[in-house]
Amino acid sequence: MAAVAALALPTTARAIGWDGVKPYVNGGQSAADLQKLVFTPTDTSGIDPAYAAGQLSADGSPGLAQVYAHTNHQMYYKSNAKCAGARSAIDAADAKYTLAAWCFDGSEETSNRWLPQAVTSSQDAEQSSGYDAGGDEVVTVWRQEALSDDRARCPGVPNDTGRSVGLRATFIQRPYTDGTHSAFRHVLLVVPGAPNSAGLTFSPICDVHGGGASWFGPYLFVARHGSGVMVFDTRRTYLIPNETTCGPDGAASTPNDVGQVTNPSGGAQLCAAGYRYVMFEVGSFHTSPSGCSTTPDDVDAGLCFSSLALQWSGNQLVTAEYRGTADMTASGAPVRIVNWRMSDLVDRIQHGTSTPVTAASLATTNFEGIQGVVSRPNTTTGHQEYFIARTLPGGHGSELWYEQDSDGVCPTPGTFVDDTESMAYWHDSAGNAHLWTLTEYANTRMLVRVYTKEYNGKPSGCPTQ
C-alpha cells in the first residue's frame, strides 16, 4: 500500500470497498513490517511505602479476594421486572437465539455518567498456566464521561461526553440464570506517579476510551485506542481508608477527589472519588513507530487499538480496529485484526524490558463499525474462525458475523443486541462455547451471553453489510 500512496493515485482508487459489498476477513497476512509493541514500566515505587504507612490499606490482604468479599451491587436476570425497560436492547436477538442477559441495579442501569465498554472473565485469566483467579467472575470496564463537574483531575480533556476522565473495572460474580450469584463491585483504575513529600501520588485514567479488556494471569490489559495497551496488576488492588469522607478536609468525596487531597490536619491523604478500592497500572505497551490513524493508507502503519479479546488457543491477545462510515470511505488500507503472543507481552512486563514485540499474525477486513472480535482455530480444519460484533451506522442496531478463513464460504450475519460493545470467549460446564458482550447505554444496559454454535452456520448466498 505504501507504493500505491507514493504514486499519488486518486483516493477512490485506494478506497476500501465496504458499503453494499460482501464483507471479508483475509487471514495469514504478513505482520513482519507491522508496528511493534514496546513496554514502558510505570513508576510504582510509592505504592509499598504508602501501604506500610497506612495511606493505603486492605480488607485482609491486597488483591482481588477483598473485592469479591465486599460486593455492594446486584444484577438481575432478564425475566426480572427490574429489567423490563432494558430488555428492548435484546428483544430481536432473544427471539431468534438462546440468549442469557442481566441488567444492572440503580444508577448503574439508569445513568450514562459511566458507560460499559469491555468484558473479560476469570476463564480468560486462568488460561495463564497455574493461575487461580480466586473466583468465578465476569469483569467489565467502564469509562467516565467528561463533564463539567468531573474533569478537574484531567485538565487537558474538554467538556465532551465522547471523551473520558476515568476508567473502572467491575468484578461480577458470574451471574446465574436463576438470578443468583450476581453481586458486583467497582474498582477504580489509576496510574501511580512519582512520590512527593507527602508520599504516594496517583491519578485517574484520562482520555482513554477503554474499548477492550483482557484478563490474563494477574494482569488486566485495557485498550488505549491511540497508542496500544495499558497493563494493571490485580495484585496491586488496595483499599482507600475513609473512602467516602476523603475529600478536602474530610469532606464527602467527589468525582474530582482522586489522588492526594488535603486532610483535616493540613497534610495529604489519598482519595478515589468515593471508590473503596483502586487498582494500579504497572506499565503500558505503545506502538513503535508510534501513530494511530482511522484512515490509514499503509497496512503496516497507523495501527489503532479499539478492542481486545483473548484467543485461548496459543494464548494470544487479539486487537481490532473500529472505523466508522467516513473512516472507511477515506481509508486506503483495510481494517486490521492483530494477534500478539501473551508469552511475549508477559515476558516484557515481568522483566521490565523494552525489546519490541512483533505481532504473531495479521488479518485484514472491510467490516465497518467493529466493536469486538473473538477468534479461535476451527477444530476440524485448523483455519481461523472469527466472530465479529459490529454496530450499524445511523442507529442502535448491531450484528454478529461469523467467518471461517479460507473455507470458500461467505461470512454469516446474525441478529444481535443493540449497541454491542467488545466480546469475550467463555465455556459452560458442559463444554459449550459462548460469547459475552454488553449493551452500552442507560436504561437498555445489559450483560449478555450467547452460544457460538447458534451463530456459525452457513449463509444463504453472500450477504452484504
Side-chain angles (χ1 to χ4, degrees):
M1 280 295 180
V4 173
L7 293 173
L9 295 175
T11 301
T12 54
R14 298 182 286 108
I16 303 303
W18 69 274
D19 189 15
V21 302
K22 182 186 74 172
Y24 65 82
V25 181
N26 289 336
Q29 307 297 302
S30 173
D33 295 326
L34 189 67
Q35 291 158 285
K36 316 300 183 188
L37 284 177
V38 175
F39 183 69
T40 302
T42 300
D43 184 352
T44 60
S45 62
I47 297 175
D48 288 341
Y51 181 57
Q55 287 183 302
L56 296 173
S57 186
D59 286 315
S61 300
L64 293 178
Q66 58 185 330
V67 179
Y68 302 161
H70 293 85
T71 54
N72 61 344
H73 290 281
Q74 184 73 35
M75 300 195 77
Y76 303 97
Y77 192 58
K78 64 182 182 180
S79 56
N80 191 295
K82 293 181 182 292
C83 299
R87 282 198 295 267
S88 64
I90 65 168
D91 280 345
D94 203 17
K96 295 187 65 174
Y97 303 100
T98 308
L99 181 150
W102 297 261
C103 64
F104 294 83
D105 65 351
S107 62
E108 315 307 308
E109 179 64 39
T110 60
S111 171
N112 278 332
R113 184 171 281 269
W114 286 89
L115 296 163
Q117 302 296 311
V119 62
T120 181
S121 81
S122 53
Q123 285 195 2
D124 281 345
E126 291 179 351
Q127 300 307 304
S128 176
S129 179
Y131 181 74
D132 182 356
D136 184 7
E137 301 284 315
V138 175
V139 183
T140 59
V141 172
W142 308 53
R143 72 175 185 90
Q144 185 178 20
E145 290 186 332
L147 302 172
S148 59
D149 63 352
D150 64 12
R151 299 185 290 116
R153 292 299 173 108
C154 296
V157 181
N159 185 21
D160 179 350
T161 58
R163 305 282 286 273
S164 305
V165 289
L167 293 179
R168 68 186 186 190
T170 303
F171 289 82
I172 307 165
Q173 296 172 351
R174 196 261 302 168
Y176 297 166
T177 55
D178 65 2
T180 63
H181 198 261
S182 57
F184 66 91
R185 183 147 203 151
H186 303 301
V187 175
L188 192 67
L189 302 179
V190 296
V191 181
N196 59 22
S197 59
L200 175 67
T201 64
F202 63 79
S203 59
I205 311 300
C206 297
D207 219 14
V208 176
H209 200 80
S214 189
W215 183 9
F216 187 77
Y219 303 112
L220 180 65
F221 296 79
V222 177
R224 190 175 192 125
H225 177 264
S227 60
V229 182
M230 307 179 74
V231 184
F232 300 85
D233 192 332
T234 62
R235 297 167 297 188
R236 293 291 202 174
T237 303
Y238 296 88
L239 180 152
I240 298 294
N242 307 311
E243 75 272 15
T244 61
T245 57
C246 57
D249 300 320
S253 49
T254 75
N256 291 314
D257 296 322
V258 180
Q260 285 186 359
V261 298
T262 305
N263 66 23
S265 62
Q269 63 183 352
L270 297 177
C271 198
Y275 288 89
R276 184 176 181 87
Y277 301 107
V278 295
M279 184 187 299
F280 287 100
E281 184 197 57
V282 293
S284 59
F285 288 92
H286 295 80
T287 50
S288 178
S290 62
C292 153
S293 173
T294 59
T295 58
D297 286 333
D298 186 342
V299 74
D300 293 320
L303 187 64
C304 302
F305 295 76
S306 305
S307 67
L308 307 178
L310 181 70
Q311 178 175 306
W312 291 5
S313 176
N315 285 337
Q316 297 183 358
L317 185 68
V318 181
T319 68
E321 298 177 304
Y322 172 92
R323 291 189 205 162
T325 299
D327 297 330
M328 294 296 290
T329 302
S331 292
V335 174
R336 281 77 58 96
I337 301 170
V338 187
N339 285 33
W340 310 84
R341 296 179 187 87
M342 274 296 193
S343 58
D344 291 338
L345 301 178
V346 171
D347 173 80
R348 305 308 189 270
I349 298 167
Q350 293 181 341
H351 293 96
T353 56
S354 59
T355 304
V357 175
T358 299
S361 64
L362 168 66
T364 57
T365 181
N366 67 340
F367 272 109
E368 183 262 0
I370 292 178
Q371 295 289 342
V373 176
V374 166
S375 62
R376 67 185 183 189
N378 182 273
T379 55
T380 301
T381 67
H383 295 156
Q384 204 66 340
E385 295 181 330
Y386 298 93
F387 294 90
I388 297 177
R390 64 179 292 256
T391 45
L392 305 180
H396 295 281
S398 304
E399 294 171 337
L400 178 57
W401 289 71
Y402 167 79
E403 163 70 341
Q404 183 181 159
D405 196 27
S406 304
D407 67 347
V409 178
C410 294
T412 305
T415 303
F416 208 32
V417 299
D418 287 351
D419 299 307
T420 183
E421 292 297 295
S422 75
M423 298 188 297
Y425 194 60
W426 186 80
H427 278 180
D428 63 26
S429 57
N432 296 303
H434 298 254
L435 301 171
W436 290 101
T437 191
L438 293 148
T439 61
E440 184 174 15
Y441 295 112
N443 301 311
T444 56
R445 183 172 296 144
M446 302 196 85
L447 174 68
V448 179
R449 193 180 72 217
V450 298
Y451 285 90
T452 59
K453 65 184 179 183
E454 295 187 355
Y455 280 90
N456 64 354
K458 295 182 179 181
S460 175
C462 279
T464 62
Q465 64 172 327

